[in-house]
Amino acid sequence: MTIATSAAPHPACENAAEPAPGAEDYLAFARGGDAQALERALGACVDRVFTQARRMMGDGEDAEDAAQEALLLLVRTAARYDGRVPFPSWIGRVVHTACLRTWRSQRRRQRRETMAMMRERSARSPVSEDEVAPQVRAAVALLSPADRLAIDLHYFAGLSQLDAAKAIGVSENAMALRLSRARARLRRLLTMQGTRITLPALVTMLGTQPLYAASDGLRDSISTLAAAVSSGAGLPCSTMAYALVDRAILIVSAHLVLASTALAAVLAVGIALPVLFWTGEVPPAPVSGDIHGVVQAWPPPAPEKGR
């Protein structure tokens, strides 16, 4: 089976000899903490970051969260960057880590979606790339960490085999072997799930991933990060901390509503009881031994003599 593809390869594989956009500015920030250089570097690579995240995550909102996490990681890990690893390789590894963090935070929902997709899939072969792409992406998520990393760096991040090898610290031949194994295992997994696809068609589809442009909101966050660095303000450990804070605010708000309702009920009872006693309309006392009464009769009757 042959799947028609129309997307262009990632430009990282086309001009590997030229310096990657943003590499010099990122290195300047890593060495001297220049906030303006950081803003230029992140602005130059934000489309690459979002493209890799979008290819991995599939969903646009999830990719936005992962890309935001990746930008933050690029700032926090800059001190460890010395330029010996190509900048695209560094970005690819950072974005991969950010996507895995986002995946873990959404693992339960994604597992349900993946299982639903597997149940609904028929045994027939897909006829278009649009139909098979979500299935392939779901299968990649089920690969081992090493296989998933190889597929992500070479195909989703658009790195050459050499740059992908530098990203994980292995030789180019070792990377080629990893990719070969990962593709074979991915095809077997797809076959087990009912998606029949030839290996050449799978390689073609993986190698012609679409490009994506970062949103205006994601670009605006770059200026926010650069301003935080320039002012010396502390950076959050993770962008997912914002989601946790929002959730905590919702929980606290719910508890406050419940507490307010309970307090209003107590005040209403406290006002109603004196009024009832004043008018003489007091509810009858519960019968002794009545387990449904509010208060048992007290004191209890004395035991009869002779018993």
Side-chain angles (χ1 to χ4, degrees):
M1 181 193 70
T2 302
I3 300 175
T5 54
S6 57
H10 199 290
C13 299
E14 298 177 357
N15 302 315
E18 299 179 5
E24 295 180 356
D25 287 324
Y26 188 72
L27 185 58
F29 168 70
R31 291 174 174 173
D34 186 348
Q36 293 182 351
L38 171 67
E39 187 170 2
R40 291 192 301 269
L42 296 183
C45 70
V46 64
D47 285 339
R48 172 188 291 274
V49 169
F50 182 71
T51 292
Q52 182 181 350
R54 184 72 167 80
R55 291 172 175 177
M56 281 193 67
M57 305 301 295
D59 181 74
E61 293 184 1
D62 292 344
E64 190 91 5
D65 294 340
Q68 185 71 39
E69 179 77 10
L71 292 176
L72 180 59
L73 284 176
L74 283 171
V75 177
R76 297 185 65 86
T77 60
R80 301 202 299 267
Y81 184 73
D82 57 7
R84 288 182 294 180
V85 175
F87 189 43
S89 303
W90 185 268
I91 294 174
R93 192 62 186 269
V94 168
V95 177
H96 179 82
T97 300
C99 288
L100 291 183
R101 290 185 178 183
T102 307
W103 254 330
R104 293 187 188 107
S105 68
Q106 302 165 348
R107 183 175 297 173
R108 186 173 299 175
R109 175 180 63 81
Q110 289 178 343
R111 185 181 295 115
R112 289 197 300 265
E113 293 177 352
T114 301
M115 295 304 297
M117 181 182 298
M118 292 170 61
R119 286 193 299 267
E120 295 173 359
R121 185 173 302 136
S122 63
R124 66 182 179 86
S125 298
V127 296
S128 67
E129 182 187 4
D130 292 338
E131 185 178 350
V132 76
Q135 301 172 12
V136 172
R137 189 161 44 245
V140 170
L142 299 177
L143 291 173
S144 67
D147 291 340
R148 187 168 60 229
L149 178 60
I151 294 291
D152 178 31
L153 291 178
H154 184 56
Y155 293 112
F156 296 161
L159 299 178
S160 65
Q161 289 190 10
L162 178 59
D163 285 345
K166 292 179 179 178
I168 59 179
V170 298
S171 66
E172 186 175 3
N173 290 335
M175 188 66 199
L177 182 59
R178 287 193 183 193
L179 283 170
S180 177
R181 293 177 188 170
R183 288 191 296 261
R185 290 167 181 168
L186 178 60
R187 181 172 177 266
R188 285 198 299 269
L189 186 58
L190 287 168
T191 301
M192 292 172 58
Q193 295 177 355
T195 301
R196 293 175 296 178
I197 182 172
T198 64
L199 188 58
L202 178 61
V203 172
T204 299
M205 197 211 68
L206 288 173
T208 52
Q209 294 286 328
L211 300 176
Y212 299 94
S215 65
D216 293 338
L218 190 59
R219 293 182 181 277
D220 292 341
S221 66
I222 294 175
S223 300
T224 303
L225 287 173
V229 171
S230 179
S231 62
L235 295 172
C237 295
S238 171
T239 55
M240 285 178 282
Y242 295 127
L244 294 177
V245 170
D246 290 340
R247 184 176 298 179
I249 291 174
L250 291 176
I251 294 174
V252 171
S253 300
H255 282 291
L256 288 176
V257 171
L258 293 176
S260 301
T261 304
L263 180 60
V266 171
L267 291 176
V269 172
I271 295 174
L273 286 179
V275 172
L276 292 174
F277 278 106
W278 181 263
T279 59
E281 298 178 359
V282 182
V287 180
S288 176
D290 181 10
I291 62 173
H292 300 292
V294 178
V295 181
Q296 296 283 329
W298 189 264
E304 297 181 6
K305 294 182 179 182
R307 288 190 178 183

